[in-house]
């Protein structure tokens, strides 16, 4: 089953998606996931959102996940996150790549994923109105302490 929308997850759901399968072989294949760790109030996270939302359509064969990592110190430490937003690529539950791009674009993500995996996009790389509105918001939420 393929989902063409970013899946918003909490830490336990993230762990379920990233659970390593021990009996993976060339013939059975492993699951891949692209995960953005973001803060709802962060303007840089909001800047990534529309491009990241489009990736779920572009790569329906991957799990495209988003987790609000604010306050999730154990998650941040587990994946070595020092800056937000961070986009990590997982294969069979293990980090195999990190996107380093301060000016995110769908094309930039596609180039990175193609170089990392050799896989070409399946869907359109054009930003649509639905990419702008979510599920990952392209407008930062107000933050109150």
């Amino acid at each position: 089953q393929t989902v063409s929308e970013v899946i918003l997850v909490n830490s336990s759901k993230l762990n379920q998606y990233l659970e390593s399968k021990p009996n993976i072989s060339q013939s059975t294949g492993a699951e891949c996931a692209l995960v953005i760790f973001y803060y709802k109030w962060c303007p840089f996270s909001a800047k990534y959102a529309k491009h990241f939302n489009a990736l779920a359509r572009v790569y329906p064969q991957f799990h495209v996940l988003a987790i609000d990592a604010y306050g999730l110190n154990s998650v941040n430490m587990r994946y070595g996150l020092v800056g937000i937003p961070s986009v990590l690529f997982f294969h069979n539950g293990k980090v195999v790549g990190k996107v380093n791009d301060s000016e995110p674009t769908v094309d930039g993500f596609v180039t990175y994923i193609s170089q990392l995996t050799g896989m070409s996009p399946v869907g359109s790389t054009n930003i649509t109105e639905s990419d702008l509105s979510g599920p990952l918001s392209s407008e930062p939420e107000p933050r109150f302490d």
Side-chain angles (χ1 to χ4, degrees):
Q1 172 188 336
T2 58
V3 178
S4 59
E5 188 172 271
V6 172
I7 302 166
L8 301 175
V9 296
N10 59 23
S11 58
S12 58
K13 271 292 193 200
L14 179 67
N15 289 337
Q16 287 175 3
Y17 275 104
L18 299 181
E19 189 176 346
S20 180
K21 312 290 188 290
N23 298 324
I24 295 298
S25 69
Q26 287 283 344
S27 59
T28 59
E31 292 187 357
C32 294
L34 195 60
V35 181
I36 186 168
F37 298 83
Y38 72 99
Y39 295 163
K40 288 181 181 180
W41 50 264
C42 171
F44 301 105
S45 295
K47 186 175 170 181
Y48 265 69
K50 65 184 176 186
H51 306 283
F52 198 79
N53 285 332
L55 290 180
R57 285 184 300 95
V58 175
Y59 291 101
Q61 68 272 43
F62 301 151
H63 297 296
V64 181
L65 310 171
I67 182 168
D68 182 356
Y70 184 70
L72 300 180
N73 295 338
S74 62
V75 170
N76 295 331
M77 285 175 38
R78 178 184 210 177
Y79 299 110
L81 305 178
V82 292
I84 296 292
S86 287
V87 178
L88 302 180
F89 192 84
F90 292 83
H91 179 263
N92 196 28
K94 295 185 177 33
V95 177
V96 293
K98 179 180 182 190
V99 176
N100 291 313
D101 197 346
S102 59
E103 292 296 326
T105 64
V106 174
D107 291 336
F109 282 124
V110 166
T111 299
Y112 174 80
I113 292 167
S114 295
Q115 289 173 348
L116 183 67
T117 66
M119 299 177 88
S120 297
V122 173
S124 166
T125 58
N126 295 328
I127 299 279
T128 67
E129 200 60 40
S130 65
D131 296 329
L132 298 173
S133 61
L136 196 57
S137 177
S138 57
E139 289 293 321
E141 287 185 4
R143 179 174 177 223
F144 304 100
D145 282 332

